[in-house]
Each structure stands twice: as C-alpha cells, then as structure tokens.
Amino acid sequence: MIKVSMIYPNKAGTRFDHDYYRTTHLPLIKSRVGAAFKYYAIDKGLADKDGTPLGAYVAMCHLLCDSIDAYQSSFAPHAQEIRADIANFINVVPIHQISEVVVENSAEDGAKARHRIPIDPPHLSHPVVG
C-alpha cells in the first residue's frame, strides 16, 4: 500500500480554505478516481513542536492506495481538472510525496497487523502524477 501526501506549507501570506478543501476538493478527487483510493485523511495544522500556532504546515492530506500504478492510472485522466481546483483553496504550491505504508494502524493487534511488501525501487522510475 502507498500513501500519497500533499503537504501545504505555512508561509507568510498563505491562504488556505479548510472548509472548501474538506467539502469540495477532496470529494472531487474521490468522485473522479473512485475505488483506486481506499480512503483519505485530512490534517489541519494547529501548532509546531513548541506549541507555536500554526506550525510549518497549514494542512496535509494523505490518500491511501494499493500501488503507485493504481494511483497513477486512476489520477492521470483527471489530473488537469484536479490541479485547476487547487487555486480555489490555497495560494502556495503544495509538496507531494509518495510513501510506502509500513504500518497502517498501530492500534491493531501485532498478530493482525498487515505485513507490507516493500515497493520495488524500479516502480519509482515511473513519472509520478499529482
């Protein structure tokens, strides 16, 4: 399983519409790519490690998918529409990262936790969409 993360930096002058992101942008993504995404999580930045508001990032989103290939093939046909919507909620460029999910739910009993097969590095040579 992979996690596609969009991380939105908190810079001077950053505008981020959390309500639009939650109620419009992520449902747009889900409606376009469908079952390719297992689920998503949205994080709203509150404070940095010292408790100083807002911290380095105003928000983050994590999309869980079975594989890089599944992500790319489902997202690519809709990439232009989804990217065009970004200006509706933020005025800075997000950081994108694709990660292998090693532990999905640490609350699961260790015997029940899914073992993750490492992603073969050659898969990362594919152009990443998103």
Side-chain angles (χ1 to χ4, degrees):
M1 183 175 289
I2 65 158
K3 181 190 299 182
V4 180
S5 299
M6 280 74 62
I7 306 164
Y8 300 93
N10 180 28
K11 300 178 180 180
T14 296
R15 173 193 57 82
F16 192 94
D17 185 337
H18 288 278
D19 186 55
Y20 183 91
Y21 192 65
R22 180 180 46 83
T23 63
T24 305
H25 187 70
L26 268 294
L28 168 69
I29 294 172
K30 184 65 178 163
S31 72
R32 297 303 187 264
V33 300
F37 290 133
K38 302 301 179 194
Y39 61 92
Y40 61 83
I42 301 171
D43 302 342
K44 182 177 181 179
L46 298 177
D48 66 14
K49 65 181 173 81
D50 299 320
T52 304
L54 182 63
Y57 306 104
V58 67
M60 296 180 211
C61 178
H62 311 285
L63 310 168
L64 281 288
C65 192
D66 283 331
S67 68
I68 291 175
D69 290 337
Y71 163 64
Q72 290 177 332
S73 64
S74 64
F75 188 88
H78 310 284
Q80 185 175 0
E81 176 187 15
I82 292 168
R83 286 186 185 126
D85 191 52
I86 292 172
N88 291 319
F89 62 88
I90 192 161
N91 60 346
V92 299
V93 177
I95 299 165
H96 286 82
Q97 178 167 315
I98 298 177
S99 306
E100 174 191 358
V101 177
V102 178
V103 176
E104 182 179 358
N105 183 347
S106 64
E108 289 180 357
D109 177 38
K112 295 179 184 177
R114 292 187 222 164
H115 174 70
R116 302 286 180 223
I117 305 298
I119 295 174
D120 188 10
H123 285 96
L124 297 178
S125 66
H126 295 287
V128 175
V129 178

